[in-house]
Amino acid sequence: MTVEGTVSGLEERVAGRAWTVRLDAADRGGATVRVSCSRPACTPQVLPTAAAGRTAAVAHLATHLRAASGPRPEAYCACRAEECHTHVRDAGPRERAVPSRCGGPVVMAVINDRQGRWWRALECCARCAAAHSSAKIVATAPAAAGPVATGPHPAAAVRAGADRPAGAIGPHFSHAPSSAAPATQGVPVPQGVPAPRAPKPRRSRRYGKIAQRIVPHDLHPVALRDELIELGDLFRAYQQRPEPDLAELADLHSRKAKAFRIWAEVSGVTELVLEARRAEQAADAAFLQHQQRTGQSPVGEGEVTNRLLPGLTQWEHARTVLAHVAEHTPLPGPEARLMAVMLTLRSALTGTGNLVGQDVRGLPLTDPEELIGRLVDSGWLSIPGTADDLLESRPESPTPITIPSLMPGEDGQGPFDFGRKTRPKLSGWAQRVVGDKKLRKKKTGAATRLLALALAVRTSTDGRLGADGEGIDVADLTSWCAVEPDELEPLVEQLTAADWLVEAAVTDGRLTGRLAERVLQVSCPLP
């Protein structure tokens, strides 16, 4: 038969039927959806949710399939009239498709997109149905020769997957591939017509990501691959926690360090060794923070201390402020230094702050008015009125103060890099140390209060003086307190009498001992 004769015979056949049901948004930004059908007689429906819309769309398509008769043997593909990709694959864009591309019995197929936005039922040949990856056969027309074979009832075929019995043939409105049997089962398929292709089984390959690195699916040993994948998942889950758990974080970093070292050995990648070292450091830091926040000592005494400044970062900021004051005190003597500490903490970020008379009177100063005047005369401090006005100011009308050396430069940076929320915490911490009740009752002077500040930021986690309890150099303490070396021991005795120090002793140029338990909460342990 010639091509012209075949085309002429095709034109004598009836066109296949097709219905399309769509799911679209009903309004911009809302949750409502509109279900519409390509049949002119069908009225669009508006549903409140996408889930309700999909249910209505499937039910609507099922209604059409119930009302329609099965596929007709004399029908040709409905998709041919629309020049689908299957028919124009081997023909030019303006040429009639060669009818010999079609083959097999006429079927009623249902196709859908993976996103669940439209469903379409159409009459087409078995070959064209097989060309659509999502096509599911609803019914099959009788073949030219052989017994008639039909699929399940059309209405049953478009039910939800939970209503379809195992092994039944019908449409599957999901992005997941269906495992239903081929729709042409029991129907003699003409020679040369390919059957619908089943999806290839995917090889089981576990993969994951950790520290911006892809874990190879073929990494051996398998236990290492599984450990890395699990660690990546656990780190991502930890980032979603509402509250941190430093003990858990330290454990994760320790496991990561061990796994990365093994990974480096089996792969020979040097960067993995560096990553393992960073993980070990992160584990140590997290564990130390956990001990410091809970107040647990390294030997495991299990004592809990709620520190006024919780965390390594704030402790380091406290040491930074004290070191800055030691280098930039405008006047000699412990009283001027103590005053400089308190004023610096009040105006650390912008160089400006507020002060009331009670803040100054609470300090152990011999003549606060005269000291303020000297600070103003030196240019280190600036106030709008007199020193007497500052001492008389009350909380409802504080006195604004300015320290020019603390004001940010042209680049917007000042001497300190902590945030606005940290500054009042540091100021409150220093006020708590300097204004300790027992220190006030003992009427200790400015040098003793400065020594209390120095010892609070130079302890181990369990309160022993020095990073490892080895003590603190006496020269450093006398320099900070602005006193002579022979004046240090009386200051230590005053702190011991005020229950600030325990087991204190000055030997070989070092001060040893530990902070009393009652003041551990104001300590800032060294790393």
Side-chain angles (χ1 to χ4, degrees), residues 58 61-63 65-66 137-138 151-165 168-173:
V58 171
L61 186 62
T63 302
L65 293 175
R66 291 192 195 99
I137 306 303
V138 175
H153 192 277
V158 293
R159 292 176 186 163
D163 297 333
R164 186 173 63 250
I169 304 169
H172 182 65
F173 302 114

Side-chain angles (χ1 to χ4, degrees), residues 234-250 252 289-290 293 310:
L234 290 175
F235 271 109
R236 285 184 287 274
Y238 182 85
Q239 293 174 352
Q240 304 301 320
R241 290 176 58 97
E243 297 292 338
D245 186 339
L246 295 177
E248 179 184 348
L249 182 61
L252 289 177
Q289 289 182 18
H290 171 67
R293 287 193 176 189

Side-chain angles (χ1 to χ4, degrees), residues 285 288-289 292 309-317 319 525-527:
L288 179 60
Q289 289 182 18
Q292 292 162 344
L309 295 178
L312 282 170
T313 303
Q314 294 185 6
W315 300 341
E316 192 59 37
H317 287 325
R319 283 186 280 269
L526 291 163

Side-chain angles (χ1 to χ4, degrees), residues 319 429 433 451-459 500 515 522-525:
R319 283 186 280 269
W429 164 79
V433 174
L451 181 59
L453 280 172
L455 298 182
V457 298
R458 291 178 172 87
T459 70
W500 188 276
L515 295 183
V522 299
S523 64
C524 300

Side-chain angles (χ1 to χ4, degrees), residues 210-211 224 227-228 231-232 235 248-265 269-284:
I210 180 173
L224 172 62
E227 172 72 358
L228 290 169
L231 281 174
F235 271 109
E248 179 184 348
L249 182 61
D251 179 65
L252 289 177
H253 279 299
S254 297
R255 290 174 57 184
K256 176 184 173 183
K258 182 178 179 181
F260 267 69
R261 287 197 178 277
I262 300 175
W263 193 3
E265 292 177 2
V269 179
T270 307
E271 289 80 359
L272 297 177
V273 178
L274 302 178
E275 188 69 32
R277 293 176 183 172
R278 287 191 289 267
E280 289 176 349
Q281 295 172 356
D284 293 340

